[in-house]
Each structure stands twice: as structure tokens, then as C-alpha cells.
């Protein structure tokens, strides 16, 4: 992201530069004032030390020398002693240079006010020296006194000199005093003023710095708070773009731009989420639909609503996975399209196939700027014929290939298909394909199951009818057989008796088989009811033993019964007989000649009775244990030995025993024998 910094004249750098420059200028001003004050003080001081003091000293010295000269001349004139002239000469040579020095010292510090006075003094001194003293000193041998008039004039001259000297001295003194006062006034004023100026300058600099700092930090703080609010998800936060230096204002504009983008993204996310929500709704509606046609109707209506298009059209070509389907939805006042003609269907199929193979979708934002390929001509011809302005076409299919296609269209204006929309449409198309194929599969399976149930019912009805039809003549056969064996038709030869025994045995087997079939069909039809009475178990076992003995004898197998009498339970006697007939019948069937079968009653076993039917027969292979009680199942060794049987006996045994609230179990070893144990409760549960 880039932010236009904008006008840098009001930037942070400019403000800091202004602050530094202002502070610098102030300090400069204060510094210069200080330097000037010091300079003035120094100047005055130097006038004092370099000018007035030497001038004053030299001037003082002149007076002393003049006085010395006057004393020396007077001493000489009074005494005639030439020794007085020596100091005169010394002083004489010094006087005028001293006066010149005085003047030069004053000129050196620029004070020329006393020049005329000093010149006058010099002139008077020169007049006295040259006009009066020098002639006296020049003639040492002439000690005659000058005339009184001359002496008087010399005295007047000397007094004038002294008076002028006094004026100069007094002027010098006054000037020196004034300079001293100036210097001390400068000292007493300049330093406090300098301090005050410095403090003021620092104060002004501090105020400027404070203003510059707050001018930067306040908008920055406000900006930080806005960024913090944005970070916490408060997208309504807005920075002030008019406050602070240009960089901060540019930053505020950038933050506002980020905020605007975040708000736009949040709005887009909300829209996308709403869109996805509507798509999920379509998905769940699809799953709740009862038929493929209903699904297709829901999908086109849902797509029309969710995508806010003018037309949603769905075509399923129809094959073994899903039957042919056409569903369409359109906004008022648009009219539904006519079903495509055969040649159009084949073109649509080719287009869908191509899209499906390439995992492709066609999104046309504006038909006016789109050139369709050969494969898409039918659809686009159709689209243009009905005035579509924008289209989204996507194939529907599953792992086995394409099933159909969905076409969403706008009329009147262009439309941009977003990636999210295309993704959602593809997801819904996949969902529809899955739901359609599943529904069709489930429907087909349901149809198949119904057909099988009908077939099963027909079979059960047939078995029941046939069994009944078989039982009636069989009852007649066994009745007549018994009469024949009882001699009701006269005495029969022994051979005929033997034949009748075989017939009887097979008739019994046939009856048992028919009973099994009838019981099974009653179980299947839910018509097997328990006729509960108090049953003497030993008597039931005795009856079975008696009925099965001929077969055992015929098979050469020993059949033993160990059943103490007096053991009664509540049960259906006829069904118990069938249970033990089946178990003993199996034992006879699967035990080779010479074997032994034992039927044993063990009364009072856990509030019930236990009956065990053991044999020394062929046994059951381990791998068949699990399925032994399954209807029509026969163990591998029994089937291999081609022993007759239906595989119904044990299933019926278990069903009857369970209905009595009992249980059946077995253990067996291949080639050694098997034992089937039936436990029956004293009283069956109430449900029985
Ligand atoms: P079926 O005897 O008519 O074949 P069952 O349901 O009575 O049908 O028995 C199922 C299978 O269990 C038999 O085919 C046989 O393989 C095995 N079976 C049952 N009883 C015995 C047994 N006493 N000894 C060996 N195998 C047996």
C-alpha cells in the first residue's frame, strides 16, 4: 500500500526544522546580545585601563615634572648653585613627551574632547619652559636674576599652566569616574538582562517545542486509537484526515483506506456467508426431497433465488443411474422453455461431456461479447433466442460420467460470475448428482426388495399350499397303512409286512418334512402360536423315541432314552415333539450303522429342564458352526455325503425353543459325534 504524503510544507520534518531554527535564532539573539554587552563592557574597561589610566598617570607626571622644573629654576636663581639645574634638565626632557603621551593615550581610546585643553596646557608649558626656564638654564654662569616683570610674567604663565593642568586633571578624573560607573552599571544590568533573555528564549523554545510535539503526538495518539479499534474489529472507526502534520494526515488517509477495504471485505464475507447459507439450505432441501423430480425442482428454484438469476434450467439426459429429467424456474413474466428436441439433446450431451471431461464451467458475463464454440451452439442459440444476456453453464456428473447440465441465465443485463458462486454452483451440482443417483439407487433397491418380498410371499404361499395338499393324502396313506398293518384287510404275508414297514418309515420322514415346511411357513407368516399346556417332558420324549425307533432300527443305530418321569413344564406339546423329532431325526440321519444315540432328560436345571441328544455320528466341521442354525444351511460333510435334508430342521428347533424362552446349544467333533442341548424354562416368558 502506498500513501500520498501530500503537502510536505506542513510535514513533521518542516515543523521540527522550524522549531530548531526558531530556537537557534532565539539563542543566537541572546548570544549576540550577551557578546555585545560584554564587548561594550570590555570596551569601556579598555578605555579605562588603556586610555584614561595611562593618560592620567602621564598627565600627573607632567605636573610633577613642571613643579620639579619650577623648583629647580627657582633654587638656582636663589642660590646660583648649578646643581639645581640637573633635575631641571631631566624633567625638561620629559615634560613635553609626557603631555604628548597623555594626548596619544586619550586619542588611542577615541577620546579627543580634551585635545584642545591638553594642547593649551602644552602650549603654556612650552611657553614657560622655552620662554623663561630654558634661557636661565642655558646660561649657567649668568646667575643674575631675571627682571621682576619677567619673573612675574613667568609666574602668571606658570599659574595658568597649573590652572590648565588642574582642569585637564579634573576632566580626566570626571571621565574616569563616569567610565567606571558605566562599567559597573553594565555589569549590574547586562548579566540579569542576559539571564532574563536566556530564560525567555528557553521559555519560547519550550513553548514552541511543546506545540510542535503535541501537534504531532495528539493526532498520532488519535490515529493509534483508531488503528486499535480497527484491530479489535470495530470497523466503524474513522481517522481525522485534517489533523496534524502532512505525514500524519497521509497516515490517517491510509488508515481510513484500510478501514474502508476491511469494511468492504467484511460486507463481501457477509454476502458470501449468506450465499453459502442459502446453498446449504438448498443442499439440505435436496436431501429431504422424496424423488429425483422433486430434487430437480428444488434445485432450480433454490439456484434461482440464491444466485438472483432470471432463469435456472436443469436437464438430466437419463441412463441407468438416473432417469431423464427436465426442471426449470424463471422469474415472472418469463415463460418456461420448451423441452429440447432430440438433436438438441445430443448436442447438449456433447457439450456437457466436454465440460465434464475437462472439469470445466462456462461463465459468460455478456453474451454480446462471447463467441460460442461448435459444441455450445445449441445452448447459446437457445440462450440468444430467449434473450439471455449472461449465462453460467456447468455439467452434472458422478464417477461414472456426465449426467446432465445446469444453466443459469440473466436477461437484459450482463452479470459477473464470481469464483465463490461458480464453486458453490459446482458443489450443488455434485450434491444433486449424488442425491439423484442415490435416490434412484435406493428407489431401485426398494423396488427390488418389494419384488423379492412379493416373490418370497408367493413362494411361502406356494409351500404352505403344497404342504397342506401333501399332508391330506399322506394322512390318508398312513391311516390305510396302519389299517393294513393291523390286519383290517386280512392277514398279510411277512414280506408284505416288511414292505409296509419301509413305506411307513418313509411316510413318517415325509410327514416330518411336510411338518417342517408348514412350521417354517407359519413362522414366516408370523402365524406360529404357542398352545401352552402343562407338558410331561418324559412323555414327549417317549413319544418321539417311539416314533423314531423304527428309523433307528432300520439305520442300524441304537436309540436310548433316559427320561425320569414326572417332570412337567409349561409348553406347546406339539412343537416340543417337533423339536425333538428334528434333533433325533438328525442324529439318526448323521450317525452311521452301529452308532448310538442317547436322549437324556436332566430335570431341575436352573428353574427349567435340560434335554441332551447325543450321537456318535459324523460330527460337524468347525467352520460350519456359526451358520448351523441358518435356514437351508447344510454342513459341508452332510452335503458331500449326499445325505437327504432341507436345512430347515435346526432353524425351526431354535425358533421354537426361543419362543419358549429357552436356548439351544451344541458341541461336536468331526468323526466323533455331536450333542445338542435344549434348555427349556419351567414357564415361558409372558410374551410367549
Ligand atoms: P437337514 O438335517 O435337513 O439338513 P437341519 O437344519 O436339521 O437340516 O440341519 C442342518 C445341518 O446341520 C445338517 O445338514 C447337518 O449338516 C448338520 N447337522 C445337524 N444335526 C447333526 C448331527 N446330529 N450330526 C451331524 N451333523 C448334523
Amino acid at each position: 500500500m502506498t500513501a500520498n504524503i501530500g503537502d510536505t510544507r506542513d510535514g513533521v520534518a518542516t515543523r521540527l526544522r522550524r522549531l530548531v531554527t526558531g530556537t537557534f535564532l532565539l539563542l543566537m539573539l541572546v548570544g549576540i546580545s550577551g557578546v555585545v554587552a560584554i564587548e561594550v563592557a570590555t570596551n569601556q574597561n579598555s578605555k579605562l585601563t588603556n586610555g584614561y589610566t595611562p593618560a592620567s598617570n602621564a598627565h600627573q607626571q607632567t605636573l610633577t615634572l613642571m613643579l620639579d622644573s619650577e623648583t629647580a629654576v627657582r633654587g638656582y636663581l636663589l642660590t646660583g648653585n648649578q646643581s639645581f639645574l640637573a633635575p631641571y634638565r631631566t624633567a625638561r626632557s620629559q615634560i613635553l613627551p609626557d603631555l604628548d603621551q597623555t594626548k596619544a593615550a586619550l586619542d588611542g581610546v577615541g577620546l579627543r574632547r580634551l585635545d584642545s585643553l591638553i594642547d593649551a596646557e602644552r602650549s603654556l608649558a612650552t611657553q614657560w619652559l622655552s620662554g623663561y626656564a630654558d634661557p636661565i638654564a642655558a646660561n649657567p654662569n649668568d646667575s643674575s636674576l631675571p627682571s621682576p616683570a619677567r619673573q612675574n610674567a613667568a609666574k602668571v604663565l606658570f599659574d595658568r599652566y597649573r590652572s590648565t593642568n588642574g582642569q585637564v586633571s579634573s576632566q580626566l578624573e570626571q571621565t574616569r569616574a563616569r567610565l567606571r560607573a558605566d562599567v559597573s552599571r553594565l555589569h549590574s544590568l547586562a548579566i540579569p538582562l542576559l539571564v532574563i533573555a536566556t530564560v525567555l528564549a528557553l521559555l519560547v523554545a519550550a513553548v514552541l517545542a511543546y506545540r510542535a510535539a503535541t501537534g504531532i503526538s495528539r493526532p498520532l495518539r488519535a490515529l493509534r486509537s483508531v488503528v486499535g479499534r480497527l484491530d479489535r474489529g470495530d470497523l466503524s472507526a474513522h481517522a481525522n484526515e485534517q489533523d496534524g502534520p502532512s505525514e500524519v494526515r497521509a497516515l490517517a488517509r491510509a488508515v481510513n483506506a484500510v478501514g474502508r477495504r476491511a469494511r468492504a471485505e467484511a460486507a463481501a464475507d457477509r454476502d458470501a456467508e449468506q450465499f453459502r447459507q442459502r446453498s446449504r439450505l438448498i443442499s439440505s432441501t435436496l436431501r429431504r426431497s422424496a424423488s429425483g423430480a422433486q430434487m430437480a425442482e428444488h434445485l432450480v428454484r433454490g439456484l434461482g433465488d440464491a444466485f438472483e438469476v432470471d432463469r435456472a434450467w436443469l436437464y438430466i439426459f437419463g441412463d441407468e443411474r438416473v432417469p431423464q429429467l427436465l426442471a426449470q424456474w424463471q422469474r415472472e413474466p418469463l415463460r418456461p422453455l420448451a423441452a429440447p428436441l432430440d438433436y438438441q439433446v445430443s448436442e447438449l450431451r456433447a457439450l456437457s461431456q466436454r465440460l465434464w471431461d475437462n472439469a470445466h464451467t462456462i461463465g459468460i458475463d455478456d453474451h454480446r461479447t462471447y463467441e460460442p464454440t461448435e459444441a455450445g451452439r445449441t445452448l447459446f442459440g437457445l440462450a440468444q433466442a430467449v434473450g439471455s444476456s449472461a449465462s453460467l453453464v456447468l455439467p452434472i456428473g458422478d464417477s461414472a460420467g456426465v449426467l446432465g447440465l445446469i444453466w443459469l441465465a440473466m436477461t437484459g443485463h450482463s452479470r459477473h460470475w464470481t469464483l465463490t458462486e461458480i464453486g458453490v454452483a459446482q458443489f450443488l451440482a455434485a450434491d444433486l448428482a449424488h442425491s439423484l443417483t442415490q435416490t434412484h439407487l435406493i428407489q431401485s433397491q426398494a423396488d427390488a426388495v418389494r419384488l423379492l418380498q412379493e416373490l418370497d410371499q408367493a413362494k411361502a404361499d406356494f409351500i404352505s399350499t403344497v404342504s397342506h395338499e401333501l399332508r391330506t393324502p399322506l394322512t390318508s396313506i398312513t391311516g390305510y397303512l396302519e389299517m393294513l398293518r393291523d390286519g383290517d384287510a386280512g392277514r398279510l404275508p411277512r414280506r408284505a409286512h416288511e414292505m409296509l414297514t419301509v413305506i411307513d418309515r418313509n411316510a413318517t420322514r415325509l410327514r416330518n418334512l411336510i411338518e417342517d415346511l408348514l412350521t417354517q411357513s407359519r413362522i414366516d407368516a408370523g402365524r406360529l402360536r404357542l398352545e401352552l399346556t402343562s407338558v410331561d417332558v418324559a412323555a414327549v420324549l417317549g413319544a418321539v423315541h417311539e416314533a423314531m425307533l423304527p428309523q433307528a432300527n432300520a439305520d442300524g443305530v441304537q436309540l436310548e432314552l433316559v427320561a425320569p418321569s414326572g417332570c412337567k413344564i409349561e409348553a406347546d406339546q406339539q412343537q416340543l415333539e417337533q423339536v425333538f423329532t428334528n434333533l433325533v431325526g438328525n442324529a439318526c440321519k448323521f450317525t452311521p450303522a452301529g452308532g448310538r444315540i442317547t436322549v437324556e432328560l436332566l430335570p431341575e436345571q436352573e428353574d427349567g429342564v435340560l434335554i441332551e441328544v447325543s450321537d456318535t455320528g459324523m460330527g460337524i466341521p468347525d467352520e460350519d458352526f456359526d451358520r448351523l442354525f441358518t435356514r437351508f444351511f447344510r454342513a459341508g460333510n452332510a452335503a458331500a455325503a449326499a445325505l437327504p435334508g432341507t436345512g430347515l430342521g435346526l432353524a425351526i428347533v431354535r425358533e421354537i425353543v426361543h419362543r419358549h424362552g429357552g436356548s439351544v446349544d451344541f458341541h461336536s467333533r468331526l468323526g466323533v459325534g455331536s450333542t445338542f442341548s435344549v434348555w427349556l424354562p419351567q414357564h415361558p416368558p409372558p410374551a410367549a
Side-chain angles (χ1 to χ4, degrees):
M1 185 187 69
T2 57
N4 182 12
I5 297 298
D7 186 5
T8 50
R9 281 174 298 175
D10 193 23
V12 175
T14 312
R15 287 183 179 209
L16 288 176
R17 214 176 298 128
R18 267 192 223 143
L19 170 68
V20 170
T21 313
T23 310
F24 178 75
L25 285 177
L26 273 171
L27 290 175
M28 275 277 283
L29 207 65
V30 171
I32 288 168
S33 317
V35 168
V36 168
I38 289 164
E39 182 60 31
V40 170
T42 310
N43 196 24
Q44 297 296 75
N45 220 10
S46 104
K47 273 183 185 172
L48 263 177
T49 48
N50 300 333
Y52 289 95
T53 305
S56 181
N57 290 341
H59 191 251
Q60 195 68 41
Q61 181 73 15
T62 326
L63 179 63
T64 311
L65 291 171
M66 280 296 279
L67 288 174
D68 286 351
S69 300
E70 196 269 343
T71 308
V73 169
R74 202 161 6 102
Y76 169 69
L77 288 177
L78 288 176
T79 61
N81 187 352
Q82 284 191 16
S83 63
F84 279 104
L85 290 178
Y88 168 78
R89 287 192 193 97
T90 310
R92 172 67 177 93
S93 64
Q94 279 288 330
I95 290 167
L96 291 179
D98 275 357
L99 269 176
D100 290 342
Q101 195 184 337
T102 304
K103 194 178 171 197
L106 288 175
D107 287 352
V109 294
L111 229 158
R112 303 180 186 281
R113 200 160 43 83
L114 294 182
D115 278 5
S116 54
L117 211 56
I118 293 169
D119 285 346
E121 184 187 345
R122 191 177 195 283
S123 161
L124 288 170
T126 310
Q127 282 175 42
W128 183 83
L129 288 169
S130 314
Y132 176 70
D134 281 352
I136 297 168
N139 298 308
N141 299 324
D142 180 12
S143 59
S144 58
L145 282 170
S147 66
R150 207 170 151 224
Q151 282 185 34
N152 238 4
K155 188 175 179 307
V156 169
L157 204 58
F158 198 86
D159 287 348
R160 277 181 60 199
Y161 160 78
R162 282 204 65 179
S163 155
T164 310
N165 179 276
Q167 277 178 33
V168 171
S169 290
S170 128
Q171 290 271 343
L172 276 174
E173 202 46 52
Q174 275 174 20
T175 307
R176 186 155 64 178
R178 191 166 48 75
L179 279 175
R180 277 219 182 95
D182 281 355
V183 169
S184 77
R185 201 166 46 248
L186 262 176
H187 274 287
S188 59
L189 265 179
I191 290 170
L193 277 177
L194 211 61
V195 169
I196 288 167
T198 309
V199 168
L200 276 177
L202 288 175
L203 268 176
V204 171
V207 168
L208 286 177
Y210 175 76
R211 284 192 55 191
T214 50
I216 296 167
S217 67
R218 188 193 58 252
L220 274 178
R221 268 203 310 277
L223 207 56
R224 194 180 58 188
S225 133
V226 169
V227 171
R229 281 171 61 196
L230 284 175
D231 189 37
R232 287 192 297 278
D234 177 6
L235 298 184
S236 66
H238 188 271
N240 183 356
E241 294 179 10
Q242 306 306 326
D243 195 13
S246 57
E247 292 93 335
V248 178
R249 292 203 304 273
L251 213 55
R253 283 196 295 279
V255 167
N256 284 343
V258 169
R260 270 195 300 280
R261 205 165 308 142
R263 276 192 293 279
E265 276 172 15
D269 281 355
R270 265 197 311 278
D271 286 352
E273 185 47 42
Q274 267 176 13
F275 183 64
R276 276 193 283 270
Q277 191 77 33
R278 275 186 270 170
S279 312
R280 280 196 283 273
L281 219 66
I282 300 173
S283 261
S284 70
T285 317
L286 285 186
R287 284 195 198 97
R288 285 202 308 275
S289 304
S291 68
Q294 206 178 34
M295 262 174 219
E297 286 300 328
H298 282 148
L299 182 82
V300 288
R301 192 173 313 130
L303 284 174
D305 267 352
F307 283 71
E308 294 173 350
V309 290
D310 297 326
R311 193 182 282 287
W313 194 83
L314 161 74
Y315 194 82
I316 301 290
F317 302 117
D319 56 21
E320 70 290 347
R321 293 168 295 167
V322 188
Q324 192 188 53
L325 261 176
L326 169 62
Q328 48 185 325
W329 173 94
Q330 58 285 318
R331 226 171 263 294
E332 290 294 339
L334 297 178
R335 306 265 33 102
L337 303 181
L341 302 172
D342 283 353
Y343 83 94
Q344 290 175 321
V345 170
S346 56
E347 283 188 16
L348 289 176
R349 189 193 291 273
L351 171 69
S352 314
Q353 186 68 53
R354 238 193 29 203
L355 292 177
W356 181 254
D357 290 346
N358 299 323
H360 197 51
T361 302
I362 303 176
I364 303 165
D365 294 357
D366 191 341
H367 271 287
R368 287 168 303 181
T369 56
Y370 185 77
E371 188 59 42
T373 57
E374 192 58 42
R377 239 173 247 297
T378 296
L379 184 72
F380 298 109
L382 212 58
Q384 271 165 354
V386 295
S388 291
S389 47
S391 295
L392 178 66
V393 183
L394 50 145
I396 308 170
D398 66 4
S399 52
V402 72
L403 284 168
L405 89 164
I406 294 173
W407 169 38
L408 305 180
M410 300 299 295
T411 50
H413 52 89
S414 60
R415 184 201 202 283
H416 176 61
W417 308 95
T418 66
L419 282 176
T420 313
E421 287 176 330
I422 293 173
V424 167
Q426 283 172 333
F427 168 77
L428 286 173
D431 213 14
L432 174 77
H434 178 73
S435 300
L436 280 177
T437 48
Q438 283 302 106
T439 306
H440 184 62
L441 199 68
I442 292 167
Q443 193 62 50
S444 309
Q445 281 173 346
D447 289 349
V449 167
R450 200 170 42 250
L451 195 70
L452 283 174
Q453 279 171 340
E454 283 168 9
L455 281 174
D456 198 46
Q457 188 57 47
K459 182 205 73 188
D461 291 348
F462 174 75
I463 290 174
S464 172
T465 311
V466 169
S467 306
H468 271 108
E469 291 305 314
L470 285 174
R471 193 160 66 167
T472 315
L474 193 62
T475 311
S476 169
I477 289 169
T478 48
Y480 281 108
L481 197 59
E482 210 166 308
M483 284 167 69
L484 281 176
R485 290 179 76 187
D486 289 350
D488 288 2
R491 192 176 163 76
L492 297 177
R494 221 171 79 84
R495 181 77 185 128
H497 260 290
E498 284 171 10
M499 286 178 177
L500 285 177
T501 305
V502 173
I503 293 172
D504 185 36
R505 206 168 58 236
N506 283 300
T508 303
R509 185 175 278 175
L510 200 56
R511 194 176 60 242
N512 289 340
L513 177 65
I514 290 169
E515 283 308 320
D516 276 356
L517 285 172
L518 278 171
T519 306
Q520 188 57 52
S521 59
R522 276 201 294 273
I523 290 170
D524 288 347
R527 285 187 282 110
L528 186 72
R529 304 258 181 279
L530 297 187
E531 301 292 336
L532 294 176
T533 52
S534 176
V535 176
D536 183 343
V537 184
V540 168
L541 294 178
V544 171
H545 179 261
E546 193 185 327
M548 298 306 294
L549 203 55
Q551 186 182 341
N553 288 340
D555 292 342
V557 176
Q558 197 181 335
L559 177 59
E560 275 181 26
L561 172 65
V562 183
S565 60
C567 173
K568 291 192 173 180
I569 60 166
E570 199 183 350
D572 183 316
Q573 178 162 347
Q574 210 181 339
Q575 290 184 16
L576 280 197
E577 274 183 22
Q578 193 173 357
V579 165
F580 294 110
T581 302
N582 283 356
L583 290 178
V584 176
N586 277 347
C588 292
K589 195 161 49 176
F590 298 115
T591 304
R596 200 176 71 246
I597 299 168
T598 310
V599 180
E600 191 175 1
L601 168 62
L602 303 160
E604 291 170 23
Q605 297 289 318
E606 295 176 15
D607 205 17
V609 293
L610 185 70
I611 301 103
E612 286 185 346
V613 179
S614 337
D615 63 56
T616 56
M618 64 198 297
I620 301 161
D622 289 1
E623 65 271 15
D624 292 334
F625 279 13
D626 288 346
R627 300 180 61 203
L628 211 63
F629 290 92
T630 310
R631 263 206 286 176
F632 305 117
F633 177 77
R634 312 201 61 226
N637 56 348
L643 289 166
T646 58
L648 276 177
L650 286 182
I652 291 171
V653 165
R654 188 172 65 171
E655 185 67 33
I656 293 174
V657 171
H658 280 180
R659 280 175 185 238
H660 280 83
S663 61
V664 56
D665 200 3
F666 75 97
H667 58 88
S668 177
R669 275 184 67 196
L670 205 57
V672 177
S674 314
T675 299
F676 284 82
S677 316
V678 175
W679 179 83
L680 290 164
Q682 205 69 49
H683 301 284

